[in-house]
Amino acid sequence: MNNTTIAPFAKPLYVMLKPIGAACNLKCTYCYYLDTKNLYKQEHNYKLSDELLEKFIVQYLESQTMALVLFTWHGGEPLLRDISFYKKALALQQRYGRGRQIENSLQTNGTLLTDEWCRFFKENNFLIGISIDGTQRFHDKYRKANNGEPTFGKVIHGIDLLRKHGVEYNIMGVVNNYNVDYPLEFYNFFKQIDSHFIQFAPIVERYPNGDVTEWSVSPEKWGDFLIAIFNEWVKQDIGNYFIQYFDAALANWMKVEPGTCIFAENCGHAGVMEFNGDVYACDHFVSPEYKLGNIREKTLTQMMYSSKQLDFGMDKSKGLSQQCHQCNYKFACNGECPKNRIAVTADGEKINYLCAGYYKFFDHIAPYMDYMKLELDAKRPPANIMCNLDKIKRAL
């Protein structure tokens, strides 16, 4: 297929922006994005220029088919750009937005947050994502500053500032070979810091020779981790604490979009733009073979709805193994993220490295999801399950 643009557009276009590229004040052991710097070794300044900022905002707004437009600022560490940069971005959004509803989210490691930043985020209704890997002993294991110092204290201080100023935030917790053994300590920590929206990200990384790193989670332990937290959540926390994996599972049980690309049937609608205008198929596929072009030469619409990008999105379902197609939980998992298809079946087909863990998890939660689906179908709150757990367990 050629690289022509096609229409109509089935989904809203979404492109994450990297205003400082992969530059960061931390050096996390497991960081998947640091290697991106190798694509731009000749660069000494990873800052998005004012010219490209304006070009991106204009094209991004023009490309949208939905009433609400969401801008996502990511890194590296996006707070390495100063407040004046984001004030300029907001002014451009207003200039070209033509009265549309515009929202902004920003993912940060939290160590650079100040009262000034938090006042700015509150005044401009930013949603802030904070990366923190649990209690101090978990977090400081792999998330260290560039000078090797621990970072937990600074992140907690940053969270305290967000709460002080009433800034809306959610938590991203990376699950690795260490904290995976302590799921309830991990989960209860986030409850203790009053985080009601929680995302987990399992580490699956490889060395250049293809071997899985020692800090990656094992499939079986990943399944046990999710089950342990689910068992706690389903007893008392439904409707109060929102965990992305559980919400996505229920969505797939209801046959609606899961809200996270890893469990969707196809992907490809969420790209990323680097500081120099290069656009890639996905945040986890920033490499030359997945480059769609540059915003100076093509529009975001042309790149994100090109046949190359559409093929990338469809390859997720087309590349499923026979084992996946025969699985009882294909509808819930859809092979998870293609980046993790590094294991091989007995028939020689690629399969998700975490497959065994996901199967264990979905098999465990199936009766609970069935019950919550029935409640939703009857227009009753799924939280009713918390009063009927004994009935479900007796039926197992």
Side-chain angles (χ1 to χ4, degrees), residues 7 9 22 51 61 71 90-91 107-108 116 163 180 197 201 205 229 250 279-280 310 312 333 336 359 361 368:
F9 307 145
E51 171 221 350
L61 288 166
F71 284 80
L90 293 177
Q107 184 70 32
T108 174
E116 184 183 14
R163 295 169 64 183
V180 73
F197 295 88
E205 298 293 337
I229 294 179
L250 183 56
V279 177
Y280 294 88
L310 293 172
F312 170 81
C333 176
E336 206 239 17
Y359 188 92
F361 167 63
Y368 304 94

Side-chain angles (χ1 to χ4, degrees), residues 67-85:
L68 172 64
V69 183
L70 175 64
F71 284 80
T72 300
W73 310 89
H74 214 282
E77 175 46 57
L79 295 193
L80 290 175
R81 300 303 307 264
D82 59 27
I83 287 179
S84 65
F85 169 82

Side-chain angles (χ1 to χ4, degrees), residues 10 56 99 158 171 344 350 366 383 388:
F56 175 85
I171 290 292
V344 180
K350 284 191 175 181
N388 293 280

Side-chain angles (χ1 to χ4, degrees), residues 156-201:
I156 288 295
H157 177 65
I159 291 173
D160 288 342
L161 289 175
L162 291 172
R163 295 169 64 183
K164 170 185 171 184
H165 291 277
V167 180
E168 187 178 355
Y169 71 96
N170 56 35
I171 290 292
M172 168 65 78
V174 172
V175 184
N176 52 61
N177 68 316
Y178 181 35
N179 58 17
V180 73
D181 289 326
Y182 305 91
L184 294 186
E185 183 178 342
F186 186 80
Y187 178 45
N188 288 330
F189 166 77
F190 294 133
K191 292 169 67 174
Q192 288 164 12
I193 63 172
D194 201 31
S195 175
H196 290 260
F197 295 88
I198 307 168
Q199 300 178 49
F200 305 136

Side-chain angles (χ1 to χ4, degrees), residues 33-50:
Y33 212 75
L34 283 177
D35 288 344
T36 305
K37 280 190 174 182
N38 294 330
L39 294 173
Y40 305 106
K41 286 182 178 179
Q42 74 281 7
E43 301 285 347
H44 299 287
N45 182 355
Y46 296 95
K47 291 183 177 180
L48 181 76
S49 69
D50 290 350

Side-chain angles (χ1 to χ4, degrees), residues 19 32 44-45 52 57 70 115 141 143 159 176 179-180 200 223 240 259-260 313 335 351 355 375:
Y32 71 93
H44 299 287
N45 182 355
L52 286 179
I57 288 174
L70 175 64
D115 283 300
K141 175 75 172 177
R143 294 187 67 84
I159 291 173
N176 52 61
N179 58 17
V180 73
F200 305 136
N240 190 20
T260 176
I351 196 169
C355 175
E375 292 298 286

